[in-house]
Amino acid sequence: MPHAVQRRPLRADAQRNYDRIVSAARDVFARDGAEAALKEIARQAGTGSATLHRLFPSRRALLEAVFHDRVEELCAMAARRAEESEPGPALLAWLADLNAYASASRGLAASLLHGSRDADLLEQNEGCQAMITDAARELLRRAQQAGAVRPGVRAEDLLALVNAISLATEQHGDDEQAGRLLDIAIQGIQGRAA
Amino acid sequence: MPHAVQRRPLRADAQRNYDRIVSAARDVFARDGAEAALKEIARQAGTGSATLHRLFPSRRALLEAVFHDRVEELCAMAARRAEESEPGPALLAWLADLNAYASASRGLAASLLHGSRDADLLEQNEGCQAMITDAARELLRRAQQAGAVRPGVRAEDLLALVNAISLATEQHGDDEQAGRLLDIAIQGIQGRAA
DNA sequence: ACCTGAACACCGTTCAAGT
DNA sequence: ACCTGAACACCGTTCAAGT
């Protein structure tokens, strides 16, 4: 668990608020999207808005907390794909997993998987984004070694592409198109002789 | 000019406000991005905020007005590329044009080029988006006929991809990555034997 | 016809006051 | 230690009142 976040335990009531907020955030994000009102989340959680801001210093921190479990699943899935299939197919299958997840969550996880570089968010990079990038890097390394994916492609590129596709098709709401775009991306990373 | 918008002329003072708002919007969008505050634009234009909302019923309408000239340039560029080069290279060159424009405007035009399906925006579809889609469709048709691009790819996919890449790398702010992603997309649309 | 600015219902964030 | 809700400075949008 190289990326588990070290945190001293919260006082009992703080922990209760933490859980309530994450639970409310799950619902409200699902209903209103990633730009949902934080005040609404605090309201739904029955907590003061300042409590939310203390426990989660940024919108991103809250999103990380909400999607942490699913990101772990995706990492576990990466390991399983690597065991079950040859390097090339393993990567492609996992990209499909990633895309399914991204479009199922209506692009919610997009900002997580790809991430930004806002100054105050640098420390958060040890969270979901690092986990998923590591998983992608390992699958990609094997696929490139096997010649199934052309060199020059980076793990960050793969995440950015899936992220980009789900961002762009989210507003548009066209799942078929998302499929075609992923197809194009997959064709694009494969070696000429694949 | 199949897509020119028919509008009866505005009264002199209304036209003056219209121009001032577009000019202010150009500056403020460039400074603050596509989510800039409309009230700030009205302020900068020296007009009441209600005037802005009457003249431009949606944020998108204002963006269309601001970027209309550049979109026309892109369409003209498409015609020139088609004249100057063979079908395959013409399309690829134009995609590079499109990408250069998108990243130069820091993803500002993204929502324009790709568009959404919000109910109240349907009539706007006769604007920039339709112009650019027509231009892309013609270049793509020729490239596909020449076998340079595999069938199944649609004009909307190309716009969505460039849009997606510029959206995703805008937050990230990484131009090198944008280049790699466009490369992947271009590889992805080409026929196997290209 | 067109314009204005106050009014309304919201935000995100912070801070004094409480327990 | 932790929580709360009012306070602050903003939004987008609308509407009465003006010219």
Side-chain angles (χ1 to χ4, degrees):
Chain A
M1 293 251 223
H3 291 298
V5 181
Q6 278 293 353
R7 230 199 303 261
R8 63 191 174 73
L10 297 168
R11 212 172 69 176
D13 53 345
Q15 182 64 50
R16 205 162 40 89
N17 278 333
Y18 184 100
D19 294 339
R20 281 182 179 170
I21 288 172
V22 170
S23 167
R26 205 187 316 275
D27 294 349
V28 177
F29 280 142
R31 178 160 53 84
D32 297 347
E35 299 302 315
L38 298 181
K39 220 157 194 166
E40 166 71 12
I41 292 173
R43 219 147 31 211
Q44 191 111 344
T47 174
S49 46
T51 300
L52 186 151
H53 282 280
R54 190 165 6 85
L55 259 20
F56 305 94
S58 68
R59 176 181 297 271
R60 184 190 168 90
L62 185 50
L63 280 166
E64 294 233 357
V66 167
F67 288 103
H68 188 264
D69 292 357
R70 304 230 181 179
V71 169
E72 276 187 338
E73 285 173 29
L74 278 174
C75 291
M77 190 74 91
R80 247 186 46 199
R81 294 295 191 188
E83 280 176 33
E84 285 175 357
S85 313
E86 293 301 298
L91 177 63
L92 299 189
W94 188 71
L95 287 180
D97 295 337
L98 198 60
N99 180 61
Y101 166 56
S103 61
S105 60
R106 287 173 32 233
L108 277 184
S111 48
L112 277 190
L113 303 184
H114 185 219
S116 83
R117 277 212 193 113
D118 291 358
D120 58 334
L121 295 179
L122 272 177
E123 74 264 23
Q124 294 282 355
N125 276 354
E126 293 306 319
C128 293
Q129 195 187 345
M131 284 173 57
I132 209 93
T133 305
D134 287 354
R137 208 190 320 273
E138 178 60 14
L139 278 172
L140 176 62
R141 193 185 60 76
R142 294 185 193 208
Q144 283 175 325
Q145 212 156 32
V149 169
R150 61 192 174 96
V153 177
R154 300 189 190 186
E156 289 83 358
D157 298 342
L158 299 181
L159 297 174
L161 267 175
V162 175
N163 169 42
I165 290 170
S166 104
L167 262 181
T169 53
E170 175 194 19
Q171 304 163 334
H172 207 78
D174 188 337
D175 272 8
E176 281 183 42
Q177 187 181 43
R180 288 198 307 273
L181 297 187
L182 186 65
D183 239 50
I184 291 174
I186 285 177
Q187 291 286 333
I189 64 170
Q190 288 177 331
R192 298 262 180 157
Chain B
M1 293 253 221
H3 292 297
V5 182
Q6 279 293 355
R7 230 198 302 261
R8 62 188 173 76
L10 297 168
R11 212 174 66 178
D13 53 346
Q15 182 64 50
R16 205 161 42 88
N17 278 332
Y18 184 99
D19 294 339
R20 282 182 179 171
I21 289 171
V22 170
S23 167
R26 206 187 314 278
D27 294 348
V28 176
F29 280 142
R31 178 160 53 83
D32 298 348
E35 299 302 315
L38 298 182
K39 221 158 194 165
E40 166 71 12
I41 292 173
R43 222 153 20 217
Q44 192 110 346
T47 175
S49 45
T51 300
L52 186 150
H53 282 281
R54 188 165 10 83
L55 257 21
F56 305 94
S58 66
R59 176 182 298 271
R60 184 191 169 89
L62 185 49
L63 280 166
E64 294 234 355
V66 168
F67 289 102
H68 187 264
D69 292 356
R70 305 232 180 176
V71 168
E72 276 187 339
E73 286 173 28
L74 278 173
C75 291
M77 189 74 90
R80 249 186 45 198
R81 293 296 192 186
E83 281 176 32
E84 286 175 356
S85 312
E86 294 301 299
L91 177 63
L92 299 189
W94 188 70
L95 287 181
D97 295 337
L98 198 60
N99 179 63
Y101 166 56
S103 62
S105 62
R106 288 173 32 232
L108 278 184
S111 47
L112 278 189
L113 303 184
H114 184 217
S116 85
R117 278 213 193 111
D118 292 358
D120 59 332
L121 295 180
L122 271 178
E123 75 263 23
Q124 294 284 352
N125 276 353
E126 295 306 319
C128 293
Q129 195 186 345
M131 285 173 56
I132 208 94
T133 305
D134 287 354
R137 209 190 320 274
E138 179 59 14
L139 278 172
L140 176 62
R141 193 186 60 75
R142 295 184 191 208
Q144 283 174 326
Q145 212 156 32
V149 169
R150 61 192 176 96
V153 177
R154 300 188 190 186
E156 289 84 357
D157 298 343
L158 299 181
L159 296 174
L161 266 175
V162 175
N163 169 43
I165 290 171
S166 104
L167 261 182
T169 52
E170 176 195 18
Q171 303 163 335
H172 207 78
D174 189 338
D175 271 7
E176 281 183 41
Q177 188 180 41
R180 289 198 306 272
L181 297 187
L182 184 66
D183 239 52
I184 291 173
I186 284 178
Q187 290 287 333
I189 65 170
Q190 288 177 328
R192 296 263 182 156

